[in-house]
Amino acid sequence: MVEQGEIRVVRCGGSTINYRKAIFTLDSKYLLCTSGDMVKVYSTATEECVHVLQGHTNLVTGIALNPTNHLQVYSCSMDGTIKLWDFTDNILIKTFTVGYKLLALYTSKAHEGCVFVIIPKENDEALDSFQLVAVRLPKSSDQEVAATELSFVLNDVSQLPKCTSYGREGEFVASVKGLHLTVYFFRNQKTYRLSLNATPKKGANNIFTCVACHPKEDCIATGHEDGKIRLWRNFNRKKEYTHSTHHWHHSAVNDLSFTPEGTNLLSGGIESVLVQWRYGEETKKDFLPRLGAAIAHISTSPEGSLYCTSHSDNKITIIQSNLRVSAVIQGLVKGDNIKTDLMIDPRTKALVLNGKPGHLQFYSLQHDKQLYNLDIVQQEYINQSGLHQFDVVKAAFDAQGSWLATVEERKEKLADLEIQLKIWVYKDEMQSFVLNTTITSPHEDHITALCFCNTNETTMLVTTGRDGRFKAWVLGDDSDIYRESVCWSCDFVGTYHNLLATNCCFSEDGSLLAVGFEQIITIWNPNTWDLVCTFCQPPGKIKDLCFGRLSCSKYLLGTTTNSFLCCWNLLTCTLEWSVGLNVILLQLDPLSENVAAFSCAAENSDLFVFRPNEPRPVYLQKNICQGSVQRAVFTPRDVPEENCSESSQWLNRSQLYFLTRDMDLMTFSTKTEEDRLTSSSKQLLIEENVPVTPFYLLLGKHRQAKLDAENGTLAAQVQLPQGSVAIKELLQTPAHVLPSATFLCTMFVNSLLISKDGKSEVPEEAEEEMESEKEEDETSDQEMDSQHKVKPEYFVEELVPKLSKKEERDLKRVRKTDYSWLCPFYGKLP
Amino acid sequence: MATDGGSSVFVSPCAFSPKSHQYLALSTQDGSLRVWDTQSNTLYQEYVPSAHLSATCTCLAWGPCRTFKDGPQRKKRKSEVAQHGGQLDLLALGTAAGTVLLYSTVKGQLHSKLDGGHDSKVNCVRWHPENNSLYSCSDDSHIVEWDLQTGKVKCKWKADKCAVSCLCLSPDGKMLLSAGQTIKMWDLETKEVYRRFTGHATAVSMLCFANTRPPTRGMEGLYFLSGAAHDRMLSVWQVRSDGKDKNAVLSFTLTDEPIYVDLAMSQSKDEAVKLAVVCKDNQMHLFEHVLNGHCKKPLSPSCSVQVASPGSVGDSVPWPVPIMAAALTIDKQALLLAYGSGLQPVIERTTLNAGETHVCLVRDIQASLTLRTETTVTKVKTPTVKADAKLLVPGLPGHSAPNKSTPLETKRKPGSDTKEMSIEERLGVIDLSPVEGHKGVHKGGLPLQTDSFAVLLVQGLESSDSNILNKVFQTKKEVLIKKTVARLPIPAVLPLVQELSKRMQGHPYSGVLMVRWLKAVFTFHASYLSTLPSLVSQLGVLYHMIESRVKMFHKLSRLHGKLYLLITQIAATDKSHSVAALDQTAKLVYEEDSSEEEEEGTGDEMLAEEEDSDHWEEEEEMKEVTERSDKGEEHSDEEMNMENKLNGDSDLEPDNESEEE
């Protein structure tokens, strides 16, 4: 996108975090999850986002830890690249360009230097045919490498990552699609295809939804559309496979996961209950109910102490292995559509919109963090598809934030509409909202709009309904001898020729009320409830309506469905100007005269900022996003900006946020703001120096003392046999490939001898190696690369024991001495 | 000096995070550190240092925090790789053992432990605004400069003869203030004393710079504040080039020793410094002053804030709620207050009216505490729903507009006047009505019963005694009601109508009773009611209610009809089933074979059963016979026809047989 002038459209948080399975790091301290075209690293202890790995240009579709280095992570994206990151320091190490759209990523310990991805056949997603391929990652020191060596593994797999799983030690891969389970063994390259009958019984639906492989045994667990879980065994022998069925979920099993030791199987679905099945005795189950929303993904930490579930409401719950929720990472809850407007709570300056079903969420835009959900409906939400429940559809705050009006609706197909209007007061004493008045069925049909009167003297709420009425509610005295209280009651019901009332809006001083009835705008005096005048306009229903502010308070703006933006002068009661513009959203800045109008033309949205007194826009930006803008809101800034240039002055006092069609929250940022941010992001380098724990004091010190003693007395002590590389080799090599004992004898004896130069440095050396590795991780990516380069070669050598033993030994000695020589230099090198 | 200055009552150290005041860090008496989210008012983190009892936290300071969450993320632009390596939101804690801990709120764990600087209690820690350094002072009279990159002591020097109680760094990071016996200003480059100030008689508990350094001259024109234990004054000092800066330039009066000070620095010369000071007596004072040189008279606060519990509910006496910390928000308009207990503080954002000098905020801590129990994990706040919340259903007054017809619209305001007038009238009526009632008694002796009912009703209406009214309204006799209403004095009609409409809103059952009364009222007093000017508003409520209830009538009657149909159908099928069942039992018994089988099966009961079966058989046969005979008698004609037909058939049969043959 071309940068236009000084103002840019930026994404401002609230991104999706539940798109793919989140993964734990090896030490369970961090949780990595995909979020749009980024990968976010969260701390599992504090729920705080520690790093954001940015670099992909399209949706990130999969992440997996590097099996050879647990401080690195691979990510794959729709942009056709696989990137290797160091997530502790937020460094992009390498980019592998594959050239296909990548839909899922798997790594396996058994397949060194190779990752598995799912790609669409012929790189065309429309074909709806996908295949699993292995990508050999070339070893090269370059930052950007083209990985072209693809080898085909499985054909016709599901594009969802949870439909493919790697088995014990990466020996086989299991993939499900439709009614088939396919198992592919890497060793003998055989494919087994197990199928289920389409519908053996009425009401049963056997379609596979997900698969998980047992980490230690040859067992595959599959989840099904009808809520059944099947455990497959003996699948490597044709016709002899067995499966057992377990049924708890009433609807589709969304995800399955084995714990790392394979003792438990976790499953979840729309019921939002995490079920823990004991492996081997599946009748024993543990449940963690009421997780809030349907479970989409489940993953476990490598050490098994934590589980995490991703939920459909953009939330990740971190659960301890004893099934207690320890943390909740909550993003902005975004449903399919947001029924309430975006609002700003005047009290906390938080963004308010629909949250969990039946709740309003308060979201801090400054810190990109959900503050809390306010339970409006106060009914237990039942997670079941096809159930109609109360939901908040409209809400409004008054200017001071002391009153909140909410509308909740429940509509079932054949029954009547149930509507409740609740008016809440913010009680300072209790620091919370308190219900003041509940009005059941305030209108006989859907409420289309509601707004508070802005003045201080009168508190009035106006609601308009599709029953052709608008009602004014006023705060009145409801005291009796027992208590003093206030409550809301209806003051006026207005109609106009039985037309549907669609919009309402108060003027800034509260002296006029504009109500839109389909094509006609009526202006009322809220004091006497006289109809002051009506405005008719070129035919077309009114979409938006608002009064001008401050110096433009004599204007009334309206937009119609047939692409007109009109401005009336209230003093002369005439049309001041009108523009043919397909405005989909009109938003007023509460702190200035500016009005933002979003228009949609040809799949792209444009923004026009103007003042009502002149039809010429103050600012114009085309192509702010794809699709039409859903909602928008102006938020007041804490500290006014000082933008001198004319085009960005409208952003000085408030900031404009909007929601795109894809439910991304975007904002406009000015150059000065960015400069300020980049200048302030000066970072502090502070050495991490965690003090020793009491456990270390007990054990570590003891061990260190022992080590010192060993070094002090020198040599006389025999090294532990395990310490020697040769012995290790000897013990690890399978017996049938070992040479004769006589041959080994010399080697063994040699290893027991104390070498002249090294003496007892061997264990130290190993330690140093470890340390240097750590340092390398922390210092810079260059060193990381070199180390990375060295390492695979090392492994390759180990994997190919083709050399004769003598040669090998010589080589080993050379290497050993080499290393000990190199080590000090290595450390000293700048 | 330090010992008597060291506060006898433990004041838990607390601090708001800088800039956006997102968090409040609070160290409690047991040494655990709690970080509260100020926006959602929930516990954000809790950390207990491993040596929290032996090395209790004595002071804490926030390091430079991330301003925003990485700022707005750049969209569709290849970002510079690792432009920032991750901020950690560090919090420095000084402990009683002389160590300094750095806690990262992002990681939720200890980041670093700085050891080997002090031998005694750390009194104050301060971050350098730019470098990677941290300053701490201790009871051992030393100041230590820490290099955070290495975690080692960079510099350590003796600053005073006795304990150094407080530190402060100048906003540009070049100067350091320390307070021991006197207040000293150090040049950080040379580590030499730049200036000395007299200081306070007791241990200085706080130091704070009030403005940024004017760019022209050296250190001149720099102001700073100091407060001390047991001192009800905040002194302001000015650094002057002429050396006449030994004494304080001005002072702010307080009600007690200051425990928390937040200051909004003045950026320019004319801008006032805003100051929020929390005192030990649970008051918070706001000051606003333009710093321009000497001022002899101590300045008093522009506003004082106290927090108190509402006394009225349970405990009768309102008690003051301690304020722990206060901070001015970035826009300097609002105020962030933390009050309550150290275990569960309440953090509130308030805007104070400019005019008021004394503000008492009534806050129910208990109620807000109970609200916040589960919020930390679930992040759901449940707003309070009390029983006394008003519920408006269609039909109740207030659900719909009070008046409908437009002509009365204009009379709305005068109407309210007449209503007030009518109280006088009503008083007059009260005087009149009993007299009339008595007259009635005197006049008609015969219909005593009804008459006394009318009197009772009038009395009930006047005193609005629900007992009397209940008694009266419970009659169901139409005649009685009619007569009572007929004899009702005119002024009592309107109260009666009001009472009736009020009672109509109650239980639907009572509505049935009330309708009779209303009918009677309308038949007897229609002429009077029509003369009333406020008729529409009086009866409007009634009208709305009846309308809304009638609106449902159509649907209800339909539902009733359907249900009736359904129930009767079910009942009918049940009946037919039961009949069928009876038949079946009879048939079962009729089966001869079965009985025979049983006979074969069981030897002993054979005889009895045989007899039984015989009896049954006979009976059945008898029945059949009688039925046949009945039928035969009744439909003899038909049978005749049938027989004819049969005959006809039989005529045909032989043919068929022949064919078969």
Side-chain angles (χ1 to χ4, degrees), chain B residues 91-117:
Chain B
L91 192 61
L93 312 170
T95 63
T99 55
V100 176
L101 305 175
L102 297 180
Y103 173 77
S104 164
T105 54
V106 172
K107 292 197 293 180
Q109 64 190 28
L110 199 63
H111 185 74
S112 187
K113 186 180 181 181
L114 309 177
D115 215 343

Side-chain angles (χ1 to χ4, degrees), chain B residues 532-585:
Chain B
L532 282 175
S534 59
L535 177 72
V536 177
S537 61
Q538 294 286 347
L539 297 182
V541 175
L542 208 62
Y543 170 75
H544 281 311
M545 180 179 55
I546 290 170
E547 196 170 75
S548 69
R549 286 196 177 170
V550 165
K551 199 164 61 186
M552 300 307 286
F553 182 73
H554 178 66
K555 289 174 191 166
L556 274 176
S557 58
R558 202 191 288 167
L559 179 71
H560 181 256
K562 279 181 184 170
L563 274 176
Y564 177 77
L565 211 65
L566 208 67
I567 289 166
T568 46
Q569 291 257 324
I570 289 166
T573 51
D574 274 357
K575 209 175 264 176
S576 64
H577 263 295
S578 60
V579 170
L582 264 176
D583 278 358
Q584 276 173 356
T585 50

Side-chain angles (χ1 to χ4, degrees), chain B residues 457-469:
Chain B
L457 182 58
V458 170
Q459 279 175 354
L461 288 173
E462 275 162 12
S463 59
S464 65
D465 187 337
S466 55
N467 274 339
I468 299 178
L469 289 174

Side-chain angles (χ1 to χ4, degrees), chain A residues 690-703, chain B residues 47-52 54 110 113:
Chain A
V690 184
V692 292
T693 55
F695 184 69
Y696 176 83
L697 289 178
L698 276 173
L699 262 173
K701 259 193 183 166
H702 178 66
R703 190 172 294 167
Chain B
Y47 169 68
V48 185
S50 55
H52 64 106
S54 58
L110 199 63
K113 186 180 181 181

Side-chain angles (χ1 to χ4, degrees), chain B residues 117-138:
Chain B
H118 297 290
D119 326 321
S120 182
K121 187 183 107 181
V122 178
N123 281 327
C124 191
V125 278
R126 286 284 175 262
W127 292 79
H128 193 278
E130 273 136 42
N131 324 352
N132 286 337
S133 37
L134 181 83
Y135 296 88
S136 64
C137 65
S138 159

Side-chain angles (χ1 to χ4, degrees), chain A residues 46 48 373 429 438 490 687, chain B residues 44 106 149 381 390 392 398:
Chain A
T46 64
E48 198 81 9
N373 273 296
E429 290 98 87
T438 310
C490 183
E687 174 70 10
Chain B
Y44 172 60
V106 172
Q149 216 147 6
K381 268 194 182 179
K390 185 82 177 174
L392 288 180

Side-chain angles (χ1 to χ4, degrees), chain B residues 429-442:
Chain B
V429 169
I430 289 164
D431 288 337
L432 277 172
S433 49
V435 180
E436 272 182 42
H438 282 297
K439 272 179 191 170
V441 173
H442 286 297

